[in-house]
Amino acid sequence: MDRILPQEAVEGEIALVIDYLPGESKALDVLGGAMALIAALDALDAALLSSISTELEPVSILNDVQHSSLKILLERVLKSLPDDHLGNLDWKKWIGALLVKGKHALLQRLEADAPAIEAELRALEPDYRAAPTLIGYDPPKVKSVQQALRGVSRARATLGPQKVLVQTELGDIVLGSGPGEEAEATSGEVVTVLTNRGREFLKVRYPDMLGQAQWTVMRNGRTTRVELLHKGWLDAYHARAFTILPGDSLDCSFEESIGYDAQQNEVERKLSIVEVHGVVSPPAQSRLPL
């Protein structure tokens, strides 16, 4: 039988306040944005706790909902609490204070770059090292915290111009709306696509035998997946009008799309074969008759 681990409440209640427009705001937009923000805040807490134990799972518990604006009071509990800390009041107080302090610092820096996030985490080091019964735990990885902040930013963007406030015992934080496009851009999403066209010899690594038009070729010494758009040539290949042998290359016209984010970092690269002009074999390679 699976053991069911208890959930333990920790100190540090926060409130999420959304100033919607009564009679105008769409209910699903407001409630959907609120749920996305709660999930994003849980993910941020998980990032803050990741260096302590990967088994700790922070979960928001609904304490109250007030409706002058949509005000949601959230209590933090931990799932999968280690046996050593069950019932340890000092440990639960420490966790609650750490999460409130960490969120209060980081939620003011949603768009912060990695060096700024690292500085905030360094400022939390004394809090990590003050953990009761735990020794030597450092703040979490910058990457995991940065990803969590981007999740909060994306969730915030879904609420548009409505004012969104996170209230903590250390003070209130206004989550700036920012244009949705910018929030997406900081998450590594494609905002610019450049297309190159040309003609190359692409050595076939793995032909597609299932008819999905996805082939693997060697390009610039690297294995690359390509989509083969030349349907007539594909139909002939699958009808065994010719064979592809190891070492063969496709003489083809290609189209390559390269996606960049707002900082001009390459995010994705897609290669498509538009037309196959012929199959080129190595000089010493002979073909068997069909």
Side-chain angles (χ1 to χ4, degrees), residues 107-283:
L107 289 176
Q108 299 177 69
R109 310 294 301 273
L110 286 186
E111 308 303 327
D113 200 359
I117 293 173
E118 185 178 32
E120 295 291 351
L121 294 178
R122 278 200 304 267
L124 289 171
E125 282 191 18
D127 299 270
Y128 279 90
R129 297 186 185 279
T133 73
L134 295 176
I135 300 175
Y137 285 91
D138 294 327
K141 293 180 180 179
V142 171
K143 181 178 179 180
S144 62
V145 173
Q146 187 178 54
Q147 289 174 338
L149 289 176
R150 288 171 176 172
V152 174
S153 183
R154 288 194 297 272
R156 170 62 186 92
T158 64
L159 289 164
Q162 297 163 120
K163 183 179 178 181
V164 179
L165 196 69
V166 176
Q167 296 179 334
T168 77
E169 62 191 50
L170 298 178
D172 297 347
I173 306 151
V174 177
L175 298 184
S177 58
E181 293 78 12
E182 290 184 9
E184 289 295 318
T186 61
S187 67
E189 295 288 337
V190 174
V191 297
T192 304
V193 177
L194 299 181
T195 302
N196 298 322
R197 296 177 178 85
R199 184 166 174 172
E200 285 186 14
F201 293 101
L202 299 176
K203 182 176 290 187
V204 176
R205 183 77 182 272
Y206 304 113
D208 170 35
M209 307 302 296
L210 301 177
Q212 302 298 316
Q214 295 290 328
W215 289 51
T216 303
V217 300
M218 294 297 297
R219 189 182 191 218
N220 299 325
R222 298 176 62 184
T223 301
T224 304
R225 294 276 288 177
V226 299
E227 184 176 9
L228 224 158
L229 305 179
H230 190 169
K231 186 176 183 301
W233 186 89
L234 270 178
D235 290 344
Y237 168 71
H238 288 298
R240 300 180 62 81
F242 50 85
T243 58
I244 301 290
L245 300 178
D248 283 350
S249 296
L250 302 181
D251 174 9
C252 57
S253 299
F254 70 89
E255 182 176 80
E256 183 178 39
S257 297
I258 309 171
Y260 298 90
D261 64 14
Q263 287 74 44
Q264 289 74 54
N265 299 308
E266 182 179 321
V267 176
E268 65 179 18
R269 183 181 291 255
K270 297 179 180 178
L271 185 66
S272 301
I273 293 176
V274 177
E275 181 178 359
V276 179
H277 302 287
V279 179
V280 181
S281 300

Side-chain angles (χ1 to χ4, degrees), residues 42-52 58 128 139-141 144-146 148:
D42 284 353
L44 179 57
D45 279 344
L48 288 169
L49 295 177
S50 60
S51 62
I52 299 169
Y128 279 90
K141 293 180 180 179
S144 62
V145 173
Q146 187 178 54

